[in-house]
Amino acid sequence: MIKKTAKRAKARLNKINPDNPEKNPKVGYISKAVREKMALEEEQKKIAAEAESTEEQAE
């Protein structure tokens, strides 16, 4: 009997919506290939930023 009431209480808690669901969005699975692409894009952005900074210093 105690297990059933505990299970029902837990089920009631699952139905409660969070105040701001966008604050902590769930992140789905990111495959290895996608992670690698993201890393390459970040590296390219860093290289571009460094190139811009060196051009500014040269002027």
Side-chain angles (χ1 to χ4, degrees), residues 23-35:
K23 186 175 181 184
N24 298 322
K26 287 187 177 180
V27 177
Y29 175 75
I30 300 174
S31 68
K32 225 179 206 182
V34 173
R35 279 186 266 147

Side-chain angles (χ1 to χ4, degrees), residues 37-54:
K37 286 180 185 177
M38 291 168 59
L40 285 172
E41 288 175 2
E42 286 181 22
E43 284 184 35
Q44 289 174 349
K45 287 179 183 177
K46 286 180 183 177
I47 291 171
E50 289 176 5
E52 287 179 11
S53 66
T54 54

